[in-house]
Amino acid sequence: MANECDDVPMSDVQVEACPIVQIIDRVAGKWSVSILVAAIRNPVRYTELERSVPGISRRMLTLTLRNLERDGLLTRTVYPTVPPKVEYAATDSARELYGHLTGLLEWAERHRPDIIEARERYDALVAAA
Amino acid sequence: MANECDDVPMSDVQVEACPIVQIIDRVAGKWSVSILVAAIRNPVRYTELERSVPGISRRMLTLTLRNLERDGLLTRTVYPTVPPKVEYAATDSARELYGHLTGLLEWAERHRPDIIEARERYDALVAAA
DNA sequence: CAGTATCCGTCTCGATACTG
DNA sequence: CAGTATCGAGACGGATACTG
């Protein structure tokens, strides 16, 4: 990712921005939020996730799960049965984070008209050039 | 980006996740938040931004500015002087969004110990393998 | 001053065959 | 069932010469 906050000298602007960027990175990417949403509803198994999130490859599913687990947003529980059973569950931490994300959503809904208008105006300008 | 919410059939999990992903994408990436932070303090000129955000290339600065402008988070004002002067200012929309981002920050600070612990435990496990 | 155009390396991501 | 290993395509980002 290369968004370490402390490897190079930073301006004060970056000092303020960096911790925010780190959190955003944590849930950025195509799949993280979908998996989080699925796991928050109730604990889910690997194959179940594959079905809940159509389009995701095994590779990305595993990578995303590992990252979320590493950050303490998911727990991974292995039941040593045959065949194997693994469950992923959202942590309290993840639920709280999700609360903040829905806060963002509220912002988006309130500003949807502004955003659409801004885009249309911008695209019109670009097209004119 | 390729995170359109409506081009392919989606599961209900994805329907819930997609609008959130869109907002996150809006401010994801290495530079967006830094530029936002700088512009929220007060309107800034291009070269000023180059100094405020050390390490950014001209290319990325311009690209990021254009994206933020397109989404209505920044306004771009050209003063037809010689030499040219261009100012970027944060919109109200951007200020509100930033408020939500600091909300995320508050979450991160409260959970910093959990995250560190989760990472250490996870990394220890991986190292053991 | 405020950009644009170009070139090129890197790194992410998707598809898929294979395994305990 | 729940993954890992491998490969290749493409997006992303950095450096920098050039311009109105």
Side-chain angles (χ1 to χ4, degrees):
Chain A
M1 248 146 235
N3 266 325
E4 302 311 314
C5 283
D6 27 39
D7 46 357
V8 279
M10 288 193 311
S11 68
D12 55 333
V13 162
Q14 287 173 308
V15 169
E16 186 175 340
C18 202
I20 300 178
V21 172
Q22 288 188 319
I23 307 161
I24 295 194
D25 277 2
R26 192 182 304 273
V27 290
K30 225 170 167 175
W31 310 111
S32 297
V33 177
S34 288
I35 292 177
L36 229 38
V37 167
I40 280 175
R41 295 185 177 183
N42 42 50
V44 277
R45 301 176 60 174
Y46 189 91
T47 310
E48 206 173 341
L49 277 170
E50 249 185 312
R51 276 193 303 273
S52 299
V53 189
I56 195 171
S57 67
R58 285 202 155 74
R59 182 185 131 86
M60 287 316 293
L61 178 53
T62 301
L63 276 177
T64 308
L65 286 170
R66 295 289 177 270
N67 283 330
L68 294 174
E69 188 195 351
R70 178 166 192 266
D71 286 333
L73 296 174
L74 292 183
T75 59
R76 176 175 180 273
T77 311
V78 181
Y79 300 90
T81 56
V82 179
K85 172 176 169 180
V86 178
E87 261 188 2
Y88 294 91
T91 62
D92 291 348
S93 177
R95 284 169 205 284
E96 284 186 42
L97 175 58
Y98 189 68
H100 286 285
L101 294 184
T102 57
L104 279 180
L105 200 54
E106 181 266 340
W107 171 87
E109 270 156 20
R110 233 164 354 97
H111 289 282
R112 191 192 309 275
D114 309 358
I115 294 169
I116 292 174
E117 196 211 312
R119 291 210 169 167
E120 278 171 1
R121 201 176 24 214
Y122 182 87
D123 292 346
L125 272 181
V126 171
Chain B
M1 264 162 215
N3 267 325
E4 302 312 313
C5 283
D6 27 40
D7 46 357
V8 278
M10 288 193 312
S11 68
D12 55 332
V13 162
Q14 287 173 306
V15 168
E16 186 174 340
C18 201
I20 300 177
V21 172
Q22 288 189 319
I23 307 161
I24 295 193
D25 277 1
R26 193 181 304 276
V27 289
K30 223 170 167 171
W31 309 110
S32 297
V33 176
S34 288
I35 292 178
L36 229 37
V37 167
I40 279 176
R41 294 185 177 183
N42 42 48
V44 277
R45 301 177 60 175
Y46 189 91
T47 310
E48 206 173 339
L49 277 171
E50 249 184 311
R51 275 192 304 273
S52 299
V53 189
I56 194 169
S57 66
R58 281 191 159 65
R59 180 185 131 87
M60 287 316 294
L61 178 53
T62 301
L63 275 178
T64 307
L65 286 170
R66 295 289 176 272
N67 283 330
L68 294 174
E69 188 196 350
R70 179 166 191 268
D71 286 334
L73 297 174
L74 292 183
T75 60
R76 176 175 180 272
T77 311
V78 181
Y79 299 90
T81 57
V82 179
K85 174 176 170 182
V86 178
E87 260 187 3
Y88 294 91
T91 61
D92 290 348
S93 176
R95 284 169 206 283
E96 284 187 41
L97 175 58
Y98 188 69
H100 285 286
L101 294 183
T102 56
L104 279 180
L105 199 54
E106 180 266 341
W107 171 86
E109 270 157 20
R110 235 168 349 102
H111 289 282
R112 191 190 309 275
D114 310 357
I115 294 169
I116 292 174
E117 196 210 311
R119 290 209 169 167
E120 279 170 1
R121 201 174 25 210
Y122 182 86
D123 292 347
L125 271 182
V126 171

